[in-house]
Amino acid sequence: MIRNLIHCRALLRATLPSPPLRRYYVPSPLPHQPVPNLSKILSRYLRSLQPLVTEEEMESTQELMQEFLRPRGQAEELERQLQRRAERTDNWLTDWRQQAIYLENHLPLPVHSSPAVILPQREYKDWRGQLRFAAKLISGVLDFKAKVESPEGLPELWRGRNLCQDQYHNFFGSCREPGYKRDRVLLQPRHKAGPHHVTVCRNYQFFQLDVYNSDGTPLTEDQIYQQMVFLREHSYKTDKEPVGVLTTDHRNSWGRAYSSLIRDRLNRESVHSIQQSILTLCLDATALKYSEGLYSSRTAAQMLHGGGSHANSGNRWFDKTLQFVVGEDGTCGLIYDQATADASAVLTMLRHVLEYCSRGPTLVPPRTPLIRLPPPRKLYFSFPPDIKQHIEQAKQNLDILVNDLDICCFTFPDFGKRFPRKHSLRPGAFLQICLQLGYYRLHGDLCATCEVVSMRSFHRGRSDVVRCTSPEILEFVKAADDPSKKAEEKLSLLLRAVKTYQDSTEQVLQGQSVDGALLAMKMLCISSGVALPSILMDTSYAVSTHWKLFTGQVSSPMDCVMCYGPLVPDGYSVCFAPSEDNITVCVSAFDCCQETDAQRLSDFFQVALRDMHALILECRPGEG
């Protein structure tokens, strides 16, 4: 029954119409993403299915594959169409992924789509420290923005290759706009002057704060601080309607409320000010106190969704691409919209901003502007009965979501990425195999698992996913607890599993993604009005894209952790942030599913890490 339900959901998704896509081709010093070879891609697709489907389902899929790949068949025609698209667009995959995965997804942005980055707690403990740090943070973002927009840009290298800078230009002044059927992204035209203000929200009240002088120079930290003091003095009331909570609702519900909200001229002007601002800064009230052991998990939840309608969730505008959160108790972090920004670029920006914030107080005296600085402008809203009803419904839906999220953050202290590197294993691959072992021990099987990777080595590249399951991983997890297997044999199977995963990752990084190619086939058929290939309609495809384990890795020298919600109701999300000597991990699940438990998966994962550490040292005692 479950498989039939998954199959039906896949059929429904396949019928979604597609908006016209942007078509242009710009010369670039970076390579363009290559067109995958469908025959080779589908061979790898079949291998990824083996641990997930029954023998009967596998045989059926193989028959469908043979029919699809027959000479002069549908595969050859789709490959030709994809080649033509690649020749006349900057990146054949990026716009499709943005459309299919983000803009046509009707689930709420908090938890389901927008990741949160939790930064180390700051040392201040009062509102003055909060505003001082917020002013410094804004100055750091403006400094990063100036570097990105300078002629030299902000060069980034990965494995000796330049990374695409394109999405940095869309960070600032961009916003998502809800729609009935799909969302769209509002971008600032590059040939026009950019926005000069940020949006600050406190106690559910929104303000427009100019951060540039009349001559175009940025305000100093002290000037921004003084502006925020004024803002604070004019936002004491806590009885305001939490209009921001509308942005937490299902996208089609928010789309209906949005259309009604902006009919009023006052509301429309306030919404447009938020949409066109450089970023949103949320000045949060102190959250509820928790024990030290629960602090990281509760802070992650607070950053991810704001804590609910009676906490800080109304102090947000989730449609904004960049939304910084600075709490009065020293908590701070960032929520970002993946329709416009990816983790790789966001972490680069955060690293620059935090390095800026770590400097001492700036001694630059404030310049006397040609025109006197206006105080922050409060953004007013009117709330007719239908909008109040939408707000109440959004509050109820949000509180259900907040109470349903099960999140567990912890730091594994035994070792970090230094240990696998010492044994010639890539840390990310080693952690992924240990996670697969922990999941297998907990649930008794493997599941569809993906890990997000950056594709910014290609022109206008964004992100893609690696399929993590393989026959080699299944063989290893079965052998790991088999008493008849010797330690050397288990280690050999572990090394094979790690190598298989590393090879799969490399193939995706070279532009040969299984899921990118499958998405391309689907989108080409939909845009042409032809039937989808049978291989995209069978049970195996539905099962293998029902990502029960959605994983990612923070590869950054910063002390931070990223968190996000599961992609499916009966799944998990897991994000690793390995440092040299420990590993910070954030696991989430939904309480509504009796089969999943974030704390238990965390425990099983830690046991798997210790077991694999012991196995390697047992077989290689001289290398400990």
Side-chain angles (χ1 to χ4, degrees):
M1 181 176 177
I2 292 176
R3 289 175 183 265
N4 289 337
L5 178 61
I6 296 172
H7 190 189
C8 291
R9 288 174 59 192
L11 291 174
L12 287 172
R13 288 198 300 266
T15 62
L16 290 172
S18 302
L21 291 172
R22 195 167 40 164
R23 296 190 179 277
Y24 56 89
Y25 189 95
V26 178
S28 167
L30 294 177
H32 287 256
Q33 187 159 333
V35 173
N37 181 301
L38 283 187
S39 178
K40 293 180 180 178
I41 287 290
L42 293 177
S43 175
R44 286 167 44 214
Y45 169 63
L46 280 178
R47 276 182 52 80
S48 75
L49 296 178
Q50 290 181 33
L52 305 176
V53 302
T54 65
E55 290 184 9
E56 293 78 10
E57 289 168 340
M58 191 69 175
E59 290 175 2
S60 173
T61 301
Q62 287 173 329
E63 291 175 4
L64 295 174
M65 192 83 70
Q66 290 174 0
E67 171 63 22
F68 177 66
L69 292 172
R70 63 181 173 80
R72 295 181 296 280
Q74 192 176 15
E76 289 186 7
E77 175 57 29
L78 289 176
E79 204 160 20
R80 280 194 295 269
Q81 291 181 27
L82 185 56
Q83 186 63 51
R84 287 197 296 270
R85 175 182 169 87
E87 290 169 356
R88 61 177 184 260
T89 59
D90 279 349
N91 189 296
W92 61 265
L93 177 62
T94 290
D95 290 336
W96 274 342
R97 272 185 60 82
Q98 181 192 51
Q99 173 190 329
I101 296 176
Y102 302 118
L103 300 182
E104 291 182 348
N105 187 343
H106 296 302
L107 293 173
L109 294 186
V111 178
H112 292 289
S113 181
S114 296
V117 183
I118 299 93
L119 301 173
Q121 188 172 20
R122 315 310 294 185
E123 294 181 358
Y124 65 80
K125 296 297 179 184
D126 62 11
W127 67 266
R128 292 180 181 84
Q130 177 191 29
L131 299 190
R132 284 286 180 194
F133 176 72
K136 188 109 183 175
L137 187 146
I138 289 176
S139 293
V141 173
L142 297 181
D143 187 70
F144 178 82
K145 182 173 179 287
K147 283 184 167 52
V148 167
E149 294 173 352
S150 67
E152 300 79 22
L154 190 74
E156 289 179 87
L157 290 177
W158 176 77
R159 296 184 180 179
R161 298 171 62 180
N162 287 311
L163 296 181
C164 184
Q165 308 289 301
D166 184 75
Q167 65 179 283
Y168 288 130
H169 298 281
N170 297 332
F171 273 15
F172 309 108
S174 59
C175 191
R176 191 152 160 167
E177 184 181 51
Y180 290 109
K181 294 183 179 179
R182 68 180 64 85
D183 292 359
R184 65 171 181 156
V185 176
L186 305 175
L187 299 175
Q188 291 291 330
R190 295 192 185 181
H191 62 278
K192 293 185 178 180
H196 279 204
H197 70 280
V198 302
T199 300
V200 181
C201 40
R202 180 176 182 270
N203 286 338
Y204 307 160
Q205 297 161 73
F206 292 79
F207 293 81
Q208 176 179 313
L209 191 158
D210 290 338
V211 290
Y212 289 95
N213 290 303
S214 55
D215 61 357
T217 58
L219 269 60
T220 64
E221 294 164 31
D222 191 61
Q223 286 175 309
I224 297 175
Y225 172 76
Q226 294 300 332
Q227 294 284 75
M228 287 199 177
V229 171
F230 176 93
L231 180 153
R232 186 177 188 275
E233 292 171 350
H234 291 78
S235 57
Y236 274 112
K237 291 185 178 180
T238 58
D239 59 347
K240 302 298 182 182
E241 287 282 359
V243 62
V245 82
L246 289 171
T247 67
T248 71
D249 209 356
H250 289 75
R251 301 308 292 174
N252 45 3
S253 299
W254 170 215
R256 289 191 293 271
Y258 178 84
S259 297
S260 178
L261 183 72
I262 63 173
R263 288 196 196 109
D264 179 272
R265 184 179 61 82
L266 180 67
N267 292 343
R268 186 164 59 251
E269 290 176 353
S270 295
V271 168
H272 287 173
S273 175
I274 296 171
Q275 291 174 332
Q276 294 166 8
S277 62
I278 296 170
L279 55 86
T280 297
L281 175 71
C282 311
L283 296 175
D284 275 8
T286 300
L288 294 174
K289 298 293 184 182
Y290 295 97
S291 64
E292 188 174 341
L294 290 176
Y295 175 79
S296 58
S297 297
R298 294 305 95 200
T299 302
Q302 181 72 208
M303 290 296 163
L304 203 54
H305 50 57
S309 64
H310 298 290
N312 290 304
S313 297
N315 220 42
R316 305 280 188 272
W317 197 269
F318 277 97
D319 290 359
K320 280 300 289 181
T321 300
L322 298 178
Q323 188 165 219
F324 288 89
V325 178
V326 179
E328 194 167 323
D329 57 357
T331 57
C332 62
L334 169 72
I335 308 113
Y336 66 93
D337 177 26
Q338 292 189 98
T340 306
D342 291 320
S344 166
V346 166
L347 291 173
T348 298
M349 178 198 66
L350 273 180
R351 181 181 179 184
H352 178 96
V353 171
L354 290 183
E355 287 176 353
Y356 183 96
C357 290
S358 66
R359 303 171 193 168
T362 55
L363 302 177
V364 179
R367 298 180 56 172
T368 303
L370 299 175
I371 301 174
R372 189 169 180 267
L373 277 175
R377 181 169 71 89
K378 190 168 185 176
L379 304 178
Y380 290 95
F381 291 88
S382 66
F383 299 101
D386 65 322
I387 294 299
K388 288 187 176 182
Q389 185 176 352
H390 279 299
I391 290 175
E392 288 305 311
Q393 188 61 55
K395 287 162 68 175
Q396 292 177 25
N397 293 337
L398 172 68
D399 289 338
I400 292 171
L401 178 60
V402 167
N403 293 327
D404 192 28
L405 184 66
D406 176 21
I407 192 163
C408 176
C409 292
F410 63 92
T411 297
F412 179 75
D414 295 27
F415 60 86
K417 56 188 177 183
R418 191 193 313 274
F419 173 75
R421 277 179 179 164
K422 186 175 181 180
H423 296 277
S424 303
L425 300 171
R426 290 186 183 171
F430 176 74
L431 293 176
Q432 185 64 241
I433 304 306
C434 290
L435 176 62
Q436 295 293 320
L437 176 58
Y439 183 94
Y440 182 82
R441 286 171 167 175
L442 178 59
H443 292 286
D445 59 8
L446 294 182
C447 67
T449 308
C450 67
E451 179 168 348
V452 180
V453 295
S454 174
M455 302 298 289
R456 290 177 58 216
S457 59
F458 296 112
H459 180 48
R460 285 197 69 234
R462 291 280 308 274
S463 62
D464 208 337
V465 295
V466 179
R467 289 186 165 229
C468 302
T469 51
S470 68
E472 290 79 6
I473 293 178
L474 180 61
E475 186 179 8
F476 162 68
V477 297
K478 285 182 175 180
D481 296 321
D482 186 346
S484 68
K485 303 286 186 183
K486 294 182 179 180
E488 286 291 348
E489 186 177 355
K490 293 179 182 179
L491 178 61
S492 176
L493 291 174
L494 169 64
L495 297 179
R496 279 184 59 203
V498 168
K499 184 179 185 305
T500 299
Y501 177 74
Q502 290 177 178
D503 291 345
S504 297
T505 303
E506 285 302 314
Q507 287 167 332
V508 175
L509 293 175
Q510 292 168 14
Q512 301 299 309
S513 160
V514 170
D515 287 278
L518 295 176
L519 176 62
M521 291 192 293
K522 176 180 174 181
M523 300 301 280
L524 285 170
C525 289
I526 292 174
S527 62
S528 303
V530 301
L532 293 182
S534 298
I535 57 171
L536 299 183
M537 303 287 283
D538 77 324
T539 302
S540 294
Y541 175 74
V543 170
S544 73
T545 54
H546 187 75
W547 305 116
K548 286 189 177 183
L549 265 180
F550 176 52
T551 69
Q553 183 178 171
V554 175
S555 300
S556 173
M558 291 186 302
D559 181 13
C560 68
V561 63
M562 186 175 289
C563 62
Y564 29 74
L567 290 185
V568 294
D570 56 342
Y572 300 91
S573 76
V574 183
C575 185
F576 327 109
S579 63
E580 290 299 318
D581 299 308
N582 59 58
I583 307 162
T584 303
V585 185
C586 190
V587 181
S588 71
F590 290 118
D591 280 332
C592 65
C593 179
Q594 296 182 353
E595 299 173 5
T596 58
D597 187 316
Q599 183 63 60
R600 292 195 71 205
L601 181 61
S602 300
D603 293 341
F604 274 75
F605 179 39
Q606 292 181 77
V607 171
L609 286 168
R610 292 188 176 103
D611 288 350
M612 293 308 98
H613 179 267
L615 175 65
I616 292 173
L617 292 185
E618 179 185 352
C619 297
R620 298 176 176 176
E623 301 178 20

